[in-house]
Amino acid sequence: GCQVSGRGESARGCVAPRQALKEASIIMKSLTKMLCLVDGEHYLPVTQEAIDTLNGLDHIDVAGAVFIGGTEKLRDDSEESYSEKLGIPVQFAKDKDIPYDIIVEMIRKYDIETVFDLSDEPILDYPKRFKIACKVLNEGISYEGPDFKFEPPTQYDVMKKASITILGTGKRIGKTAVSGFISRLIDKNGYEPCVIAMGRGGPEEPEIVHGEELEINAEFLLAQSKKGVHAASDHWEDALMSRILTIGCRRCGGGMAGEVFLTNMKKGAKLANEVDAKFAIFEGSGAAIPPIKTNKQITLIGANQPIENLTNYFGPYRIALGELVILTMCEEPMCSNEKIKEIEEFVSEVNPNATVISTVFRPKALDDISGKKVLFATTAPEEVKGKLVAYLEDNFGCKVIGTTAHLSNRPLLRENMEKYMDEADVMLTELKAAAVDVATKDAIEHGLEVVYCDNIPIPINDSYPDLTESVLELVDSAIDDFNKSS
């Protein structure tokens, strides 16, 4: 028979440990301090050989091990005894649950740089391994095993001014809207910010848009669109909504933990160091995390997302990154009150020190629409359009005579618009998807005024911390952190 520790047989029989390590792509350039996860299901001499094999590699220093389960099968339950037998510090699980906290304690105590998993079923199943991965990646190090490796996303340390990151747990959760709200707030309070955004339609080279100088109106964006510019790209939307300098970057691909395959955001960050701004806001794209080290982070959670995507996989990793956690879309039909409570409780468990605020989005017209008949285009679900229409009419003194929720579907958008354009005075639209090349273009050709609208986050009730104060406190904290480290 063949001895197996954390690895099965190949089609050719036993795989030599060193060859197995090569196949697992464990290639490190310098001495790396490693923590091994082991279990009592394995016969001790097998575990010993696996650890000795790792320790025998020139670039590996196994600094400790955690028995994460199966210790009831061990002949001796003494940590001292097994530390002596394995020749490294050993910690045991204190109960039947996986000792996630002990893993983190060992990482910090021994300055561990990577965690290698030598355990197996039945001690670890897939959900437990993802939970370990989240804990390990939140420590800024890698988690790997015989056929997998998870690493924290790249964080280039290039910023020469205070900065924050706005990241999300997924796509279509209102990240650009929240970023616009935060950017305006920071600018209004005298911090002189710029925004660096990456998107899947971003420019080949980082592009500066002087939102603080340009008159970015419907005609301007339509002209940009005719030139071939993606005029609804995130940095254009940021410039329009926030009226501050923005830098547009591109990205391709999004890894499970937020890494991107290709991006020019590092160039964008260096450009942000040179522009006339005192504070930088880095905006993620979907669940992809900006690859720039910043002083503080805000995590956005879409309450409309499947709960398992937040509580499993790398949802907990992203949630744990934010000093401020904002839940968006906290209303029916996107989510129930019970789901909001469940998410909030999970966030408090994973990230107990974070400020948590649950919000809904409400439209804000960027120009005067009072007394006008409005055709309103939005990305919001059909079920909430009534609330948005009532909010517009109550707060902006207009009359909404028609709506469409098809900004991402050009044929349906045109079909809906044609029903109401003869009656409308104004086309009010979010700057999303077909807002420029269809909504703006067709409305102007029909003689309508075009006004863009933002979506602002509003706490669902008065029990939450003040959103404005929470953001400004985070900004002040980021500035303090930057000054201490510089």
Side-chain angles (χ1 to χ4, degrees):
C2 297
Q3 294 180 345
V4 180
S5 182
R7 186 176 179 87
E9 294 183 15
S10 73
R12 296 168 293 173
C14 275
V15 178
R18 289 179 185 271
Q19 182 183 347
L21 292 175
K22 287 181 181 178
E23 291 175 355
S25 300
I26 307 171
I27 302 172
M28 303 178 188
K29 296 181 179 179
S30 58
L31 189 64
T32 300
K33 296 187 74 173
M34 178 178 283
L35 176 69
C36 287
L37 306 184
V38 300
D39 65 50
E41 297 283 336
H42 287 83
Y43 187 49
L44 186 62
V46 179
T47 298
Q48 177 70 71
E49 182 183 358
I51 290 175
D52 288 346
T53 299
L54 287 166
N55 243 340
L57 300 176
D58 291 340
H59 56 274
I60 298 295
D61 173 22
V62 179
V66 177
F67 272 87
I68 58 175
T71 51
E72 67 277 0
K73 296 187 178 182
L74 299 177
R75 296 180 180 179
D76 182 359
D77 62 357
S78 165
E79 292 177 349
E80 292 78 9
S81 173
Y82 279 89
S83 295
E84 184 177 343
K85 291 174 183 177
L86 296 178
I88 53 176
V90 169
Q91 287 283 307
F92 281 1
K94 303 303 182 185
D95 49 45
K96 292 183 180 181
D97 193 18
I98 302 301
Y100 303 105
D101 292 342
I102 291 177
I103 295 171
V104 172
E105 289 171 9
M106 291 284 277
I107 289 170
R108 296 175 181 177
K109 182 175 182 180
Y110 295 101
D111 296 321
I112 299 299
E113 296 167 275
T114 189
V115 173
F116 196 89
D117 196 336
L118 291 171
S119 183
D120 200 355
E121 294 274 3
I123 301 303
L124 287 183
D125 56 19
Y126 303 130
K128 290 175 182 175
R129 274 190 159 142
F130 270 110
K131 189 169 182 178
I132 290 173
C134 289
K135 294 284 188 180
V136 172
L137 266 60
N138 278 130
E139 294 300 309
I141 65 174
S142 62
Y143 170 55
E144 55 189 297
D147 64 355
F148 68 87
K149 183 174 183 177
F150 293 118
E151 296 182 298
T154 300
Q155 296 281 278
Y156 294 112
D157 191 1
V158 297
M159 289 310 296
K160 298 179 180 178
K161 58 186 64 173
S163 56
I164 61 172
T165 293
I166 302 174
L167 62 99
T169 54
K171 188 69 175 171
R172 311 255 184 254
I173 62 173
K175 192 181 311 88
T176 305
V178 174
S179 177
F181 167 81
I182 290 173
S183 301
R184 286 192 304 276
L185 177 62
I186 294 173
D187 184 51
K188 180 181 177 182
N189 283 271
Y191 292 92
E192 300 181 40
C194 64
V195 175
I196 308 92
M198 63 177 181
R200 291 176 287 191
E204 184 175 358
E205 290 295 326
E207 176 184 43
I208 294 178
V209 178
H210 285 280
E212 81 284 17
E213 297 177 2
L214 293 173
E215 184 181 351
I216 305 177
N217 54 25
E219 290 75 12
F220 178 87
L221 290 178
L222 189 57
Q224 296 300 311
S225 180
K226 289 178 179 178
K227 293 177 184 177
V229 173
H230 180 26
S233 190
D234 288 348
H235 68 292
W236 280 99
E237 184 176 352
D238 287 330
L240 171 67
M241 302 302 176
S242 305
R243 301 295 186 185
I244 65 173
L245 186 149
T246 68
I247 300 173
C249 305
R250 63 170 42 175
R251 65 98 172 176
C252 184
M256 295 177 71
E259 182 71 277
V260 296
F261 173 71
L262 175 149
T263 184
N264 53 10
M265 202 174 217
K266 184 178 180 181
K267 284 185 178 180
K270 291 181 177 179
L271 197 56
N273 285 330
E274 300 171 4
V275 300
D276 188 20
K278 295 181 180 179
F279 192 87
I281 303 165
F282 288 87
E283 183 182 321
S285 173
I289 298 174
I292 308 298
K293 182 180 179 181
T294 59
N295 301 104
K296 297 293 175 180
Q297 302 189 89
I298 298 174
T299 296
L300 303 188
I301 298 174
N304 60 323
Q305 294 179 268
I307 191 72
E308 60 270 17
N309 289 2
L310 302 173
T311 58
N312 295 306
Y313 313 112
F314 285 101
Y317 168 69
R318 290 176 173 83
I319 290 170
L321 291 175
E323 285 86 1
L324 172 60
V325 177
I326 301 174
L327 277 63
T328 63
M329 304 184 183
C330 296
E331 61 184 331
E332 298 281 4
M334 281 82 78
C335 70
S336 64
N337 290 333
E338 291 75 19
K339 185 179 179 183
I340 296 169
K341 183 178 179 181
E342 184 178 356
I343 295 172
E344 290 177 346
E345 289 176 348
F346 182 76
V347 172
S348 296
E349 177 187 334
V350 171
N351 192 353
N353 295 320
T355 299
V356 183
I357 304 175
S358 294
T359 66
V360 294
F361 284 123
R362 292 295 180 260
K364 176 183 178 182
L366 299 186
D367 289 305
D368 184 18
I369 58 173
S370 60
K372 296 178 181 178
K373 291 179 286 186
V374 171
L375 168 56
F376 177 44
T378 177
T379 54
E382 292 280 349
E383 295 87 346
V384 300
K385 283 198 306 184
K387 295 179 182 178
L388 305 186
V389 167
Y391 186 87
L392 283 169
E393 292 182 340
D394 291 345
N395 289 272
F396 295 93
C398 64
K399 176 64 178 177
V400 178
I401 54 91
T403 63
T404 175
H406 295 297
L407 276 175
S408 59
N409 187 317
R410 284 166 171 79
L412 286 178
L413 175 61
R414 281 198 171 98
E415 183 180 320
N416 283 179
M417 287 176 62
E418 288 171 0
K419 295 178 184 177
Y420 305 106
M421 282 202 292
D422 288 339
E423 189 181 348
D425 302 316
V426 175
M427 178 80 220
L428 178 67
T429 179
E430 300 169 1
L431 189 59
K432 295 290 185 184
V436 177
D437 60 331
V438 176
T440 296
K441 178 176 176 292
D442 291 4
I444 288 178
E445 289 177 353
H446 204 79
L448 271 62
E449 177 187 1
V450 176
V451 174
Y452 295 111
C453 75
D454 196 2
N455 283 302
I456 56 174
I458 300 174
I460 58 177
N461 59 53
D462 295 334
S463 67
Y464 295 92
D466 184 271
L467 182 56
T468 295
E469 291 180 4
S470 297
V471 170
L472 295 179
E473 285 174 5
L474 185 78
V475 170
D476 288 336
S477 179
I479 294 172
D480 289 342
D481 182 71
F482 174 79
N483 290 335
K484 290 176 182 176
S485 60
S486 60

